[in-house]
Amino acid sequence: RKEVEQDPGPFNVPEGATVAFNCTYSNSASQSFFWYRQDCRKEPKLLMSVYSSGNEDGRFTAQLNRASQYISLLIRDSKLSDSATYLCVVNRGQGGKLIFGQGTELSVKP
Amino acid sequence: SAVISQKPSRDICQRGTSLTIQCQVDSQVTMMFWYRQQPGQSLTLIATANQGSEATYESGFVIDKFPISRPNLTFSTLTVSNMSPEDSSIYLCSVAPGTDTQYFGPGTRLTVL
């Protein structure tokens, strides 16, 4: 079993749709959590950190449930430019090691 | 955040040769990391590049195959030695400028023939 698991993709949605990505992690000692976005043939870029209290950045909302070891990302009013692979990332806190999920590909269509 | 550059951006190499990838950051950072992203896969940490000491390698990666240098707080190199086609990947460096968040360089796309 992978340490960080994500919904399999791809997700194909129309513009304006709301889409939710789920992620689970197996190491209960994990300390911090992130969503990264990776465009085709580009490096991953930090989308947002994820906190237990939940956090929102415009159309993006991230949630963390430590008890269930579950992380989510909600994208409202999808834009064509949201098309990318979304990576769920966990920091174990041991020397800064990041563990990446396999990524979920999102394709937003006109 | 930090501005990170990598050289080369891409290369095509013959098997049995070695390639050294450079990573330069625009500010001093304590922690630098090297990752590999194989085709269609997510990122896997190769090693943590420690300034002034040997790199710390993850399971499955060894210094003889992936020697790393970290001469100062803004620069690191990763060498892929004695390459085979299985080493064809994107190699990325990242930095953690004081928080647990990491920022990535643009990557080096390596093809081994």
Side-chain angles (χ1 to χ4, degrees), chain A residues 32 34 36 38 41 43-44 46 49 87 91 95-98 100-102, chain B residues 10 31 33 35 37 42-43 45 58 92 100-106 109:
Chain A
S32 49
F34 310 92
Y36 278 74
Q38 186 171 28
R41 304 177 80 83
E43 74 274 22
L46 179 67
S49 300
L87 300 163
N91 188 325
K97 179 176 179 177
L98 294 184
F100 284 77
Q102 70 268 36
Chain B
R10 60 177 62 234
M31 306 196 77
F33 306 87
Y35 288 82
Q37 187 170 27
S42 193
L43 282 76
L45 180 65
E58 296 300 309
L92 300 112
D100 55 2
T101 305
Q102 290 185 25
Y103 300 93
F104 287 83
R109 186 175 297 272

mmCIF file of all heavy atoms in Angstrom, chain A residues 32 34 36 38 41 43-44 46 49 87 91 95-98 100-102, chain B residues 10 31 33 35 37 42-43 45 58 92 100-106 109:
data_model
loop_
_atom_site.group_PDB
_atom_site.id
_atom_site.type_symbol
_atom_site.label_atom_id
_atom_site.label_comp_id
_atom_site.label_asym_id
_atom_site.label_seq_id
_atom_site.Cartn_x
_atom_site.Cartn_y
_atom_site.Cartn_z
ATOM 1 N N SER A 32 2.712 17.766 8.220
ATOM 2 C CA SER A 32 2.151 18.846 7.421
ATOM 3 C C SER A 32 1.756 18.310 6.049
ATOM 4 O O SER A 32 2.263 17.280 5.608
ATOM 5 C CB SER A 32 3.113 20.021 7.308
ATOM 6 O OG SER A 32 4.397 19.596 6.945
ATOM 7 N N PHE A 34 0.014 19.216 1.989
ATOM 8 C CA PHE A 34 -0.022 20.201 0.916
ATOM 9 C C PHE A 34 -0.743 19.641 -0.296
ATOM 10 O O PHE A 34 -0.796 18.419 -0.494
ATOM 11 C CB PHE A 34 1.411 20.560 0.477
ATOM 12 C CG PHE A 34 2.326 20.912 1.611
ATOM 13 C CD1 PHE A 34 3.101 19.946 2.221
ATOM 14 C CD2 PHE A 34 2.411 22.219 2.072
ATOM 15 C CE1 PHE A 34 3.948 20.261 3.272
ATOM 16 C CE2 PHE A 34 3.245 22.544 3.121
ATOM 17 C CZ PHE A 34 4.023 21.565 3.728
ATOM 18 N N TYR A 36 -0.051 20.269 -4.334
ATOM 19 C CA TYR A 36 0.764 20.861 -5.377
ATOM 20 C C TYR A 36 0.040 20.652 -6.702
ATOM 21 O O TYR A 36 -0.716 19.695 -6.881
ATOM 22 C CB TYR A 36 2.140 20.184 -5.459
ATOM 23 C CG TYR A 36 3.162 20.673 -4.464
ATOM 24 C CD1 TYR A 36 3.082 20.323 -3.116
ATOM 25 C CD2 TYR A 36 4.227 21.471 -4.867
ATOM 26 C CE1 TYR A 36 4.037 20.762 -2.209
ATOM 27 C CE2 TYR A 36 5.183 21.911 -3.966
ATOM 28 C CZ TYR A 36 5.089 21.550 -2.640
ATOM 29 O OH TYR A 36 6.031 21.979 -1.733
ATOM 30 N N GLN A 38 0.833 20.301 -10.855
ATOM 31 C CA GLN A 38 1.893 20.093 -11.841
ATOM 32 C C GLN A 38 1.292 20.141 -13.238
ATOM 33 O O GLN A 38 0.448 19.315 -13.601
ATOM 34 C CB GLN A 38 2.619 18.764 -11.621
ATOM 35 C CG GLN A 38 3.828 18.593 -12.533
ATOM 36 C CD GLN A 38 4.680 17.388 -12.198
ATOM 37 O OE1 GLN A 38 4.202 16.394 -11.660
ATOM 38 N NE2 GLN A 38 5.977 17.448 -12.505
ATOM 39 N N ARG A 41 4.832 18.687 -18.271
ATOM 40 C CA ARG A 41 6.233 18.970 -18.567
ATOM 41 C C ARG A 41 6.785 20.149 -17.748
ATOM 42 O O ARG A 41 7.730 20.811 -18.158
ATOM 43 C CB ARG A 41 6.442 19.215 -20.059
ATOM 44 C CG ARG A 41 5.948 18.064 -20.920
ATOM 45 C CD ARG A 41 6.100 18.366 -22.397
ATOM 46 N NE ARG A 41 7.456 18.153 -22.861
ATOM 47 C CZ ARG A 41 7.949 16.979 -23.211
ATOM 48 N NH1 ARG A 41 7.202 15.892 -23.128
ATOM 49 N NH2 ARG A 41 9.191 16.864 -23.637
ATOM 50 N N GLU A 43 7.520 21.703 -13.470
ATOM 51 C CA GLU A 43 7.755 21.261 -12.109
ATOM 52 C C GLU A 43 6.498 21.436 -11.259
ATOM 53 O O GLU A 43 5.647 22.262 -11.570
ATOM 54 C CB GLU A 43 8.927 22.053 -11.481
ATOM 55 C CG GLU A 43 8.607 23.493 -11.108
ATOM 56 C CD GLU A 43 8.790 24.460 -12.262
ATOM 57 O OE1 GLU A 43 8.770 24.040 -13.450
ATOM 58 O OE2 GLU A 43 8.951 25.654 -11.963
ATOM 59 N N PRO A 44 6.391 20.699 -10.146
ATOM 60 C CA PRO A 44 5.256 20.910 -9.238
ATOM 61 C C PRO A 44 5.343 22.290 -8.597
ATOM 62 O O PRO A 44 6.426 22.763 -8.243
ATOM 63 C CB PRO A 44 5.449 19.822 -8.168
ATOM 64 C CG PRO A 44 6.408 18.851 -8.745
ATOM 65 C CD PRO A 44 7.270 19.614 -9.686
ATOM 66 N N LEU A 46 3.486 24.731 -5.531
ATOM 67 C CA LEU A 46 2.640 24.705 -4.353
ATOM 68 C C LEU A 46 1.324 25.408 -4.644
ATOM 69 O O LEU A 46 1.303 26.566 -5.052
ATOM 70 C CB LEU A 46 3.347 25.377 -3.175
ATOM 71 C CG LEU A 46 2.548 25.434 -1.883
ATOM 72 C CD1 LEU A 46 2.341 24.026 -1.321
ATOM 73 C CD2 LEU A 46 3.257 26.317 -0.867
ATOM 74 N N SER A 49 -1.219 24.953 1.368
ATOM 75 C CA SER A 49 -1.024 24.088 2.527
ATOM 76 C C SER A 49 -2.403 23.696 3.041
ATOM 77 O O SER A 49 -3.407 24.352 2.738
ATOM 78 C CB SER A 49 -0.245 24.824 3.606
ATOM 79 O OG SER A 49 1.018 25.227 3.117
ATOM 80 N N LEU A 87 -1.309 17.020 -6.998
ATOM 81 C CA LEU A 87 -0.524 16.098 -6.183
ATOM 82 C C LEU A 87 -0.802 16.335 -4.702
ATOM 83 O O LEU A 87 -0.659 17.470 -4.218
ATOM 84 C CB LEU A 87 0.972 16.298 -6.446
ATOM 85 C CG LEU A 87 1.436 16.079 -7.885
ATOM 86 C CD1 LEU A 87 2.814 16.696 -8.110
ATOM 87 C CD2 LEU A 87 1.492 14.606 -8.194
ATOM 88 N N ASN A 91 4.319 15.797 4.512
ATOM 89 C CA ASN A 91 5.658 15.960 5.089
ATOM 90 C C ASN A 91 5.700 15.203 6.403
ATOM 91 O O ASN A 91 4.929 15.492 7.314
ATOM 92 C CB ASN A 91 5.953 17.443 5.317
ATOM 93 C CG ASN A 91 7.390 17.700 5.738
ATOM 94 O OD1 ASN A 91 7.992 16.897 6.448
ATOM 95 N ND2 ASN A 91 7.936 18.806 5.295
ATOM 96 N N GLY A 95 13.364 15.549 8.779
ATOM 97 C CA GLY A 95 14.327 16.129 7.849
ATOM 98 C C GLY A 95 13.694 16.683 6.599
ATOM 99 O O GLY A 95 14.370 16.877 5.593
ATOM 100 N N GLY A 96 12.411 16.955 6.666
ATOM 101 C CA GLY A 96 11.750 17.618 5.546
ATOM 102 C C GLY A 96 11.356 16.727 4.401
ATOM 103 O O GLY A 96 11.048 17.203 3.315
ATOM 104 N N LYS A 97 11.332 15.418 4.606
ATOM 105 C CA LYS A 97 11.017 14.522 3.497
ATOM 106 C C LYS A 97 9.559 14.639 3.093
ATOM 107 O O LYS A 97 8.657 14.495 3.907
ATOM 108 C CB LYS A 97 11.328 13.086 3.905
ATOM 109 C CG LYS A 97 11.020 12.068 2.829
ATOM 110 C CD LYS A 97 11.440 10.683 3.250
ATOM 111 C CE LYS A 97 11.093 9.672 2.171
ATOM 112 N NZ LYS A 97 11.558 8.317 2.514
ATOM 113 N N LEU A 98 9.326 14.899 1.812
ATOM 114 C CA LEU A 98 7.983 14.953 1.253
ATOM 115 C C LEU A 98 7.640 13.621 0.617
ATOM 116 O O LEU A 98 8.456 13.032 -0.100
ATOM 117 C CB LEU A 98 7.862 16.046 0.195
ATOM 118 C CG LEU A 98 8.001 17.497 0.646
ATOM 119 C CD1 LEU A 98 7.755 18.431 -0.540
ATOM 120 C CD2 LEU A 98 7.078 17.827 1.792
ATOM 121 N N PHE A 100 4.897 12.007 -1.960
ATOM 122 C CA PHE A 100 3.947 12.430 -2.979
ATOM 123 C C PHE A 100 2.957 11.319 -3.293
ATOM 124 O O PHE A 100 3.343 10.150 -3.424
ATOM 125 C CB PHE A 100 4.679 12.788 -4.274
ATOM 126 C CG PHE A 100 5.376 14.111 -4.229
ATOM 127 C CD1 PHE A 100 6.582 14.261 -3.558
ATOM 128 C CD2 PHE A 100 4.822 15.213 -4.846
ATOM 129 C CE1 PHE A 100 7.211 15.491 -3.513
ATOM 130 C CE2 PHE A 100 5.442 16.447 -4.807
ATOM 131 C CZ PHE A 100 6.638 16.584 -4.135
ATOM 132 N N GLY A 101 1.693 11.706 -3.431
ATOM 133 C CA GLY A 101 0.740 10.798 -4.023
ATOM 134 C C GLY A 101 1.000 10.689 -5.518
ATOM 135 O O GLY A 101 1.814 11.440 -6.079
ATOM 136 N N GLN A 102 0.297 9.771 -6.146
ATOM 137 C CA GLN A 102 0.560 9.533 -7.572
ATOM 138 C C GLN A 102 -0.042 10.608 -8.464
ATOM 139 O O GLN A 102 0.259 10.661 -9.653
ATOM 140 C CB GLN A 102 0.050 8.144 -7.992
ATOM 141 C CG GLN A 102 -1.462 8.018 -8.020
ATOM 142 C CD GLN A 102 -2.023 7.509 -6.709
ATOM 143 O OE1 GLN A 102 -1.535 7.829 -5.632
ATOM 144 N NE2 GLN A 102 -3.064 6.697 -6.808
ATOM 145 N N ARG B 10 17.624 19.870 -20.324
ATOM 146 C CA ARG B 10 17.406 18.542 -20.899
ATOM 147 C C ARG B 10 18.694 18.047 -21.503
ATOM 148 O O ARG B 10 19.591 18.835 -21.812
ATOM 149 C CB ARG B 10 16.305 18.570 -21.951
ATOM 150 C CG ARG B 10 16.574 19.487 -23.129
ATOM 151 C CD ARG B 10 15.472 19.406 -24.173
ATOM 152 N NE ARG B 10 14.200 19.830 -23.649
ATOM 153 C CZ ARG B 10 13.088 19.083 -23.705
ATOM 154 N NH1 ARG B 10 13.117 17.893 -24.256
ATOM 155 N NH2 ARG B 10 11.959 19.535 -23.224
ATOM 156 N N MET B 31 18.230 23.455 3.561
ATOM 157 C CA MET B 31 17.850 22.138 3.057
ATOM 158 C C MET B 31 17.612 22.185 1.554
ATOM 159 O O MET B 31 16.828 22.991 1.041
ATOM 160 C CB MET B 31 16.601 21.649 3.773
ATOM 161 C CG MET B 31 16.745 21.662 5.296
ATOM 162 S SD MET B 31 15.502 20.703 6.154
ATOM 163 C CE MET B 31 16.117 19.046 5.891
ATOM 164 N N PHE B 33 17.020 19.298 -1.767
ATOM 165 C CA PHE B 33 16.638 17.916 -2.016
ATOM 166 C C PHE B 33 16.729 17.622 -3.518
ATOM 167 O O PHE B 33 16.558 18.510 -4.338
ATOM 168 C CB PHE B 33 15.194 17.665 -1.571
ATOM 169 C CG PHE B 33 14.917 18.046 -0.140
ATOM 170 C CD1 PHE B 33 14.539 19.341 0.176
ATOM 171 C CD2 PHE B 33 15.032 17.119 0.878
ATOM 172 C CE1 PHE B 33 14.276 19.709 1.487
ATOM 173 C CE2 PHE B 33 14.778 17.482 2.193
ATOM 174 C CZ PHE B 33 14.402 18.781 2.494
ATOM 175 N N TYR B 35 15.005 14.994 -6.393
ATOM 176 C CA TYR B 35 13.912 14.054 -6.659
ATOM 177 C C TYR B 35 14.058 13.513 -8.080
ATOM 178 O O TYR B 35 14.655 14.139 -8.959
ATOM 179 C CB TYR B 35 12.557 14.763 -6.578
ATOM 180 C CG TYR B 35 12.119 15.143 -5.186
ATOM 181 C CD1 TYR B 35 12.594 16.305 -4.578
ATOM 182 C CD2 TYR B 35 11.212 14.356 -4.483
ATOM 183 C CE1 TYR B 35 12.180 16.663 -3.304
ATOM 184 C CE2 TYR B 35 10.790 14.710 -3.206
ATOM 185 C CZ TYR B 35 11.282 15.861 -2.624
ATOM 186 O OH TYR B 35 10.865 16.220 -1.365
ATOM 187 N N GLN B 37 11.460 11.926 -11.180
ATOM 188 C CA GLN B 37 10.103 11.657 -11.640
ATOM 189 C C GLN B 37 10.191 10.849 -12.917
ATOM 190 O O GLN B 37 10.510 11.391 -13.982
ATOM 191 C CB GLN B 37 9.321 12.951 -11.864
ATOM 192 C CG GLN B 37 7.849 12.707 -12.179
ATOM 193 C CD GLN B 37 7.025 13.974 -12.172
ATOM 194 O OE1 GLN B 37 7.525 15.063 -12.427
ATOM 195 N NE2 GLN B 37 5.728 13.843 -11.893
ATOM 196 N N SER B 42 4.833 9.752 -10.125
ATOM 197 C CA SER B 42 4.983 10.912 -9.264
ATOM 198 C C SER B 42 6.438 11.040 -8.827
ATOM 199 O O SER B 42 7.300 10.310 -9.299
ATOM 200 C CB SER B 42 4.056 10.773 -8.055
ATOM 201 O OG SER B 42 3.956 12.007 -7.378
ATOM 202 N N LEU B 43 6.704 11.968 -7.939
ATOM 203 C CA LEU B 43 8.077 12.254 -7.545
ATOM 204 C C LEU B 43 8.542 11.309 -6.443
ATOM 205 O O LEU B 43 7.785 10.992 -5.523
ATOM 206 C CB LEU B 43 8.196 13.696 -7.035
ATOM 207 C CG LEU B 43 8.249 14.791 -8.093
ATOM 208 C CD1 LEU B 43 6.878 15.053 -8.690
ATOM 209 C CD2 LEU B 43 8.827 16.061 -7.505
ATOM 210 N N LEU B 45 11.871 10.919 -3.740
ATOM 211 C CA LEU B 45 13.056 11.565 -3.190
ATOM 212 C C LEU B 45 14.267 10.663 -3.363
ATOM 213 O O LEU B 45 14.231 9.490 -2.983
ATOM 214 C CB LEU B 45 12.841 11.880 -1.707
ATOM 215 C CG LEU B 45 13.996 12.573 -0.982
ATOM 216 C CD1 LEU B 45 14.237 13.971 -1.558
ATOM 217 C CD2 LEU B 45 13.706 12.662 0.515
ATOM 218 N N GLU B 58 17.889 8.039 0.239
ATOM 219 C CA GLU B 58 16.697 7.244 0.518
ATOM 220 C C GLU B 58 16.935 5.795 0.101
ATOM 221 O O GLU B 58 17.856 5.492 -0.672
ATOM 222 C CB GLU B 58 15.507 7.815 -0.227
ATOM 223 C CG GLU B 58 15.137 9.212 0.228
ATOM 224 C CD GLU B 58 14.759 9.286 1.696
ATOM 225 O OE1 GLU B 58 13.896 8.479 2.118
ATOM 226 O OE2 GLU B 58 15.327 10.120 2.413
ATOM 227 N N LEU B 92 14.655 16.674 -10.417
ATOM 228 C CA LEU B 92 14.283 17.980 -9.890
ATOM 229 C C LEU B 92 14.997 18.228 -8.560
ATOM 230 O O LEU B 92 15.066 17.326 -7.720
ATOM 231 C CB LEU B 92 12.778 18.072 -9.649
ATOM 232 C CG LEU B 92 11.879 17.865 -10.863
ATOM 233 C CD1 LEU B 92 11.100 16.568 -10.730
ATOM 234 C CD2 LEU B 92 10.913 19.028 -11.017
ATOM 235 N N ASP B 100 8.371 24.171 6.242
ATOM 236 C CA ASP B 100 8.276 22.799 5.751
ATOM 237 C C ASP B 100 7.792 22.742 4.313
ATOM 238 O O ASP B 100 7.622 21.681 3.748
ATOM 239 C CB ASP B 100 7.366 21.964 6.665
ATOM 240 C CG ASP B 100 5.993 22.582 6.825
ATOM 241 O OD1 ASP B 100 5.730 23.632 6.201
ATOM 242 O OD2 ASP B 100 5.185 22.015 7.571
ATOM 243 N N THR B 101 7.567 23.901 3.716
ATOM 244 C CA THR B 101 7.141 23.951 2.321
ATOM 245 C C THR B 101 8.357 23.864 1.420
ATOM 246 O O THR B 101 9.397 24.449 1.718
ATOM 247 C CB THR B 101 6.411 25.279 2.052
ATOM 248 O OG1 THR B 101 5.346 25.406 2.985
ATOM 249 C CG2 THR B 101 5.862 25.319 0.640
ATOM 250 N N GLN B 102 8.233 23.136 0.330
ATOM 251 C CA GLN B 102 9.336 23.024 -0.618
ATOM 252 C C GLN B 102 8.962 23.632 -1.960
ATOM 253 O O GLN B 102 7.810 23.557 -2.388
ATOM 254 C CB GLN B 102 9.729 21.550 -0.801
ATOM 255 C CG GLN B 102 10.404 20.964 0.419
ATOM 256 C CD GLN B 102 10.893 19.552 0.207
ATOM 257 O OE1 GLN B 102 11.155 19.119 -0.915
ATOM 258 N NE2 GLN B 102 11.038 18.812 1.304
ATOM 259 N N TYR B 103 9.971 24.206 -2.583
ATOM 260 C CA TYR B 103 9.820 24.803 -3.908
ATOM 261 C C TYR B 103 10.774 24.102 -4.850
ATOM 262 O O TYR B 103 11.918 23.808 -4.487
ATOM 263 C CB TYR B 103 10.109 26.308 -3.844
ATOM 264 C CG TYR B 103 9.163 27.018 -2.909
ATOM 265 C CD1 TYR B 103 9.501 27.225 -1.577
ATOM 266 C CD2 TYR B 103 7.910 27.448 -3.354
ATOM 267 C CE1 TYR B 103 8.620 27.854 -0.707
ATOM 268 C CE2 TYR B 103 7.027 28.071 -2.489
ATOM 269 C CZ TYR B 103 7.385 28.268 -1.170
ATOM 270 O OH TYR B 103 6.511 28.872 -0.311
ATOM 271 N N PHE B 104 10.302 23.879 -6.060
ATOM 272 C CA PHE B 104 11.032 23.035 -6.997
ATOM 273 C C PHE B 104 11.668 23.834 -8.122
ATOM 274 O O PHE B 104 11.117 24.846 -8.573
ATOM 275 C CB PHE B 104 10.076 21.993 -7.608
ATOM 276 C CG PHE B 104 9.709 20.917 -6.633
ATOM 277 C CD1 PHE B 104 8.690 21.105 -5.721
ATOM 278 C CD2 PHE B 104 10.415 19.725 -6.604
ATOM 279 C CE1 PHE B 104 8.359 20.124 -4.797
ATOM 280 C CE2 PHE B 104 10.095 18.739 -5.690
ATOM 281 C CZ PHE B 104 9.067 18.942 -4.780
ATOM 282 N N GLY B 105 12.818 23.344 -8.556
ATOM 283 C CA GLY B 105 13.411 23.855 -9.781
ATOM 284 C C GLY B 105 12.641 23.353 -10.986
ATOM 285 O O GLY B 105 11.768 22.493 -10.860
ATOM 286 N N PRO B 106 12.999 23.852 -12.172
ATOM 287 C CA PRO B 106 12.250 23.507 -13.385
ATOM 288 C C PRO B 106 12.501 22.091 -13.874
ATOM 289 O O PRO B 106 11.799 21.615 -14.755
ATOM 290 C CB PRO B 106 12.740 24.544 -14.404
ATOM 291 C CG PRO B 106 14.081 24.949 -13.905
ATOM 292 C CD PRO B 106 14.027 24.870 -12.425
ATOM 293 N N ARG B 109 15.335 17.143 -17.864
ATOM 294 C CA ARG B 109 14.746 15.985 -18.557
ATOM 295 C C ARG B 109 15.873 15.195 -19.195
ATOM 296 O O ARG B 109 16.538 15.682 -20.112
ATOM 297 C CB ARG B 109 13.755 16.478 -19.599
ATOM 298 C CG ARG B 109 12.956 15.373 -20.285
ATOM 299 C CD ARG B 109 11.912 15.997 -21.212
ATOM 300 N NE ARG B 109 10.951 16.796 -20.474
ATOM 301 C CZ ARG B 109 9.842 16.344 -19.929
ATOM 302 N NH1 ARG B 109 9.536 15.059 -20.055
ATOM 303 N NH2 ARG B 109 9.013 17.143 -19.286
#
